[in-house]
Amino acid sequence: MAAETTESRTATPTLDWLTVALVLGGVLCLYYLAPLVSLFLSVPIGEIIGRMGDPTVVNAATTSLLSASISAAIATVFGLPLAYWLARSEARWTNAVLAVVVLPLVLPPTVSGIVLLTVFGPNAPIGAAAVAAGFPLTRSLAGVVLAQTFVASPFVVVTAKAAFESVDRTLEHASRSLGKNRWTTARRVTLPLAAPGILAGVTLAFARAMGEFGATMMVAYYPMTMPVKIWKSFQSVGLDGAYPVAIILVVIAVAALVVLNTVASNPWD
Amino acid sequence: MLEINRVEKSYGAFDLGPTDLTVNEEVLSVLGPSGCGKTTLLAVIAGITDPDTGTITLGGTELTGRTPEDRGTVLVFQDGALFPHMTARENVAYAAASTGKIDELAATLEIGDVLDQRAATLSGGERQRVALARSLAADPAALLLDEPLANLDAPIKRRLRDELRPLLSSLSIPVVYVTHDQHEATVIGDRLAVVRDGAIQQCATPSEVFARPATPFVASFTGRTNLFRARIAEGESDPALEWAGHQFDVPDYEYPVGEAVWFCIRPEYVTVVDASGAGGQNVLDGRVRRRVFEGDGYRIDVVPASADDVLQVTLSPPEYERLELDDRKRVRLSLPRDAIHIVGECDRTDAGCGSGVDEMESGSTE
């Protein structure tokens, strides 16, 4: 009887769900990689190097790197305190605040641009005042930064919030019980432990800002960022003109991803 | 002196207090089961959470409303709560005013060898030693320990427990030591507060708590005991205790004749006497139901001749071997008069018997 049972068990084909998962996930990965490989194969390396010397491409890359860095910095300065508050507050309305933070993530980028124009556009009170002060908030680097910060900063807040939440509160209680105030505790205990997650959020925000197109195009078409430059090349020359610039942007994005993967793992685990 | 006055704290359905406690320059063990509110009590003292009502003073200074860092109380957590991104030395230095202090504490707590190891790599015992060193480095005015030995292996736990007792006593500050382990509470504490459902049921020296538990819960939670329902009966000269068809001579208690009461006697005080019963007080016969070897001795369950209750007796190995006990063997037991303690009336629901009186089953408990 026991032998029969064993036989029937071995005879029944079992579905290896891990293999199924790998196959399904593999299809998705192929879907990600195939267009990228195709893009790289479609342009001779010499042409890419040649376009890297194009002043308009260099200007666009400079604008993108500069504005994305500023946007990531602003998102960090304002986003970290908010993330900490969201992670630690027991107020009932934290969910409402979190919903506000996530709003830019779910808005279509062009709608984000329109929303920003209603506040910072030259006809809006704030925008008009800024123009009068000689610091226009549209068609300027400031405009690019405003658009990028709007769409990218939620990445810092959401990721840093999760990072702060992953820090055992007992450690903060221990620190304060040892006579250290809230600020010292945050600086010497919470922030170092949450740093990998925070850096991941900042990197994501930077990458998102680098790739931002819709809101940026609405608020500040000029100075051109890389995505806007790609769009313009596509419109004026066609795909052949857009490909090399797109590849340069992909390289920058991949570099950001490498940084992300390097810093995202928590060495204290 | 740490004084806790009428402190109450509610978490949903759980209520702590009102609690009154005074801790002088001594070690007070707070003993209770999981979820009884002992950790909440520490959190309230440390300022991690605010009490709903009541006040806490330390050395005459009102602590209520102060931030945790401004209280002078230091809390040692169950797992040590060492900062994992720092070495053991950095953890101690976090609270220490000088490097000399670190070296001094490292020597006291024997952590010199692990000072430069990252906290995350330390063993459980080492973690707690470093956590203690760190807490003492802060020069606390009161030290609060939340089950610091709970997660340790038995041999390390025993060793640390024996080391902690003189160390904590030497501090000459109020120390509140929370644990659910009655043995640990007894060894470490100068006094023992037994907590149940957010209420302190008894606070006294460990020997007093063990000899004269105030409630059936205290009797059952502070080590193994024989806890039975009985009745006060008219004795030959003084009131006696009637149980298992016998009348027992008991110390003087002011209970009226006919009153139903709980009484207890620790198994180690029950003795097996010879058939004549000579030399024994309150002798009764019974039959061995079960014998259990417990490493350092034997536990014998005996069913009295005229009762359904099971009376536990603990015997040392030599005594057990001398008696040559077998299952179902008849034995004669003696319940010494002074070892019998009447815990309280059975129908009382106040602190005397506690709210758990209805849940208490007559019998032996551990």
Side-chain angles (χ1 to χ4, degrees):
Chain A
M1 188 67 183
E4 274 181 36
T5 310
T6 309
E7 199 173 299
S8 65
R9 275 184 188 162
T10 46
T12 310
T14 54
L15 195 58
D16 182 358
W17 286 105
L18 204 59
T19 306
V20 173
L22 180 64
V23 169
L24 291 172
V27 170
L28 197 59
C29 286
L30 271 179
Y31 181 62
Y32 297 147
L33 281 173
L36 283 172
V37 172
S38 175
L39 173 68
F40 276 84
L41 293 176
S42 64
V43 186
I45 188 77
E47 192 177 334
I48 298 171
I49 293 168
R51 286 302 296 276
M52 285 174 78
D54 180 344
T56 59
V57 173
V58 173
N59 283 343
T62 306
T63 303
S64 277
L65 283 169
L66 182 63
S67 59
S69 300
I70 296 171
S71 299
I74 292 172
T76 305
V77 168
F78 290 93
L80 280 192
L82 179 58
Y84 183 79
W85 180 82
L86 284 168
R88 291 295 182 246
S89 174
E90 289 168 5
R92 286 182 188 172
W93 41 289
T94 50
N95 281 341
V97 175
L98 188 60
V100 171
V101 170
V102 174
L103 201 58
L105 292 179
V106 297
L107 281 181
T110 44
V111 174
S112 297
I114 290 169
V115 168
L116 288 172
L117 283 174
T118 61
V119 179
F120 302 116
N123 298 324
I126 294 175
V131 170
F135 191 73
L137 299 179
T138 56
R139 292 176 68 83
S140 64
L141 184 67
V144 176
V145 169
L146 283 175
Q148 289 180 345
T149 303
F150 189 80
V151 298
S153 58
F155 286 96
V156 172
V157 180
V158 172
T159 315
K161 172 180 174 283
F164 285 134
E165 283 171 344
S166 72
V167 176
D168 186 355
R169 288 197 76 170
T170 304
L171 299 177
E172 294 179 344
H173 293 322
S175 170
R176 297 193 67 192
S177 176
L178 290 166
K180 307 300 179 190
N181 62 26
R182 199 182 280 274
W183 165 242
T184 304
T185 298
R187 187 170 54 83
R188 295 187 60 188
V189 176
T190 316
L191 275 173
L193 290 172
I198 293 169
L199 284 172
V202 174
T203 312
L204 274 174
F206 176 81
R208 177 68 185 89
M210 281 293 294
E212 216 299 304
F213 172 65
T216 309
M217 197 176 68
M218 300 294 290
V219 178
Y221 191 86
Y222 293 106
M224 254 188 255
T225 59
M226 288 290 276
V228 176
K229 175 66 184 166
I230 292 168
W231 171 247
K232 193 175 180 211
S233 299
F234 173 66
Q235 278 206 312
S236 55
V237 186
L239 273 178
D240 287 345
Y243 280 163
V245 190
I247 288 173
I248 294 166
L249 186 58
V250 167
V251 170
I252 294 171
V254 169
L257 193 67
V258 169
V259 175
L260 171 70
N261 279 333
T262 307
V263 301
S265 58
N266 190 334
W268 320 124
D269 281 346
Chain B
M1 183 167 55
L2 177 67
E3 286 181 287
I4 297 150
N5 307 304
R6 311 302 293 166
V7 163
E8 291 182 61
K9 180 72 186 175
S10 294
Y11 284 118
F14 173 77
D15 294 318
L16 169 71
T19 301
D20 290 294
L21 266 180
T22 300
V23 189
N24 296 304
E25 292 174 354
E26 61 178 336
V27 182
L28 175 74
S29 289
V30 177
L31 175 68
S34 298
C36 73
K38 50 193 193 299
T39 296
T40 301
L41 177 65
L42 285 194
V44 168
I45 299 171
I48 290 170
T49 186
D50 293 323
D52 298 334
T53 58
T55 58
I56 299 162
T57 59
L58 179 59
T61 306
E62 171 78 49
L63 297 186
T64 325
R66 288 192 175 209
T67 57
E69 60 269 27
D70 192 29
R71 291 186 169 225
T73 57
V74 172
L75 179 53
V76 179
F77 291 85
Q78 189 169 333
D79 63 352
L82 295 183
F83 307 128
H85 57 302
M86 298 182 190
T87 62
R89 183 188 300 279
E90 288 165 342
N91 266 278
V92 181
Y94 189 82
S98 67
T99 51
K101 184 85 177 175
I102 301 171
D103 295 335
E104 179 193 325
L105 288 166
T108 305
L109 285 149
E110 299 175 18
I111 53 170
D113 293 345
V114 299
L115 271 183
D116 294 317
Q117 284 186 30
R118 202 164 274 284
T121 66
L122 300 176
S123 69
E126 290 165 346
R127 260 202 310 275
Q128 287 303 1
R129 285 175 185 274
V130 174
L132 275 166
R134 187 179 67 177
S135 66
L136 298 180
D139 281 327
L143 186 62
L144 316 169
L145 300 104
D146 186 9
E147 308 214 33
L149 309 184
N151 294 337
L152 303 183
D153 294 336
I156 299 167
K157 187 175 185 170
R158 272 198 298 273
R159 189 178 161 201
L160 258 177
R161 189 180 62 203
D162 292 342
E163 289 177 26
L164 267 178
R165 167 72 183 157
L167 176 68
L168 296 179
S169 293
S170 69
L171 296 176
S172 297
I173 57 171
V175 177
V176 182
Y177 188 99
V178 156
T179 179
H180 65 268
D181 181 329
Q182 57 89 12
H183 197 63
E184 200 176 304
T186 311
V187 170
I188 287 174
D190 296 312
R191 284 191 302 142
L192 186 57
V194 184
V195 183
R196 188 191 194 198
D197 294 337
I200 293 173
Q201 300 220 332
Q202 187 173 10
C203 186
T205 61
S207 56
E208 171 73 8
V209 171
F210 272 74
R212 305 176 68 80
T215 70
F217 172 76
V218 173
S220 63
F221 198 74
T222 51
R224 181 178 295 148
T225 194
N226 293 295
L227 180 69
F228 302 114
R229 295 169 194 262
R231 190 166 295 279
I232 302 293
E234 195 71 64
E236 288 176 11
S237 55
D238 295 315
L241 194 66
E242 190 175 274
W243 175 70
H246 290 68
Q247 284 203 353
F248 296 115
D249 186 19
V250 292
D252 291 339
Y253 289 100
E254 294 181 355
Y255 292 104
V257 172
E259 182 79 59
V261 296
W262 290 99
F263 83 94
C264 69
I265 181 167
R266 302 283 177 185
E268 54 271 28
Y269 286 99
V270 182
T271 54
V272 181
V273 294
D274 61 31
S276 69
Q281 296 175 321
N282 296 325
V283 174
L284 85 162
D285 292 326
R287 197 181 287 275
V288 174
R289 173 182 279 181
R290 194 165 58 146
R291 295 161 295 144
V292 181
F293 178 57
E294 296 185 325
D296 54 352
Y298 287 84
R299 191 190 86 214
I300 314 297
D301 292 350
V302 177
V303 181
S306 49
D308 294 330
D309 294 320
V310 175
L311 189 71
Q312 290 189 346
V313 185
T314 52
L315 299 173
S316 66
E319 193 178 4
Y320 174 79
E321 286 159 17
R322 182 182 63 79
L323 291 168
E324 296 179 339
L325 296 174
D326 291 315
D327 285 354
R328 303 195 55 74
K329 182 176 181 178
R330 285 185 169 280
V331 288
R332 179 157 286 179
L333 303 176
S334 167
L335 281 63
R337 174 184 183 275
D338 291 336
I340 295 175
H341 171 64
I342 297 183
V343 179
E345 297 99 317
C346 284
D347 57 352
R348 271 174 59 183
T349 53
D350 62 10
C353 277
S355 58
V357 72
D358 294 336
E359 301 161 28
M360 288 292 173
E361 290 296 329
S362 195
S364 305
T365 61
E366 292 183 40

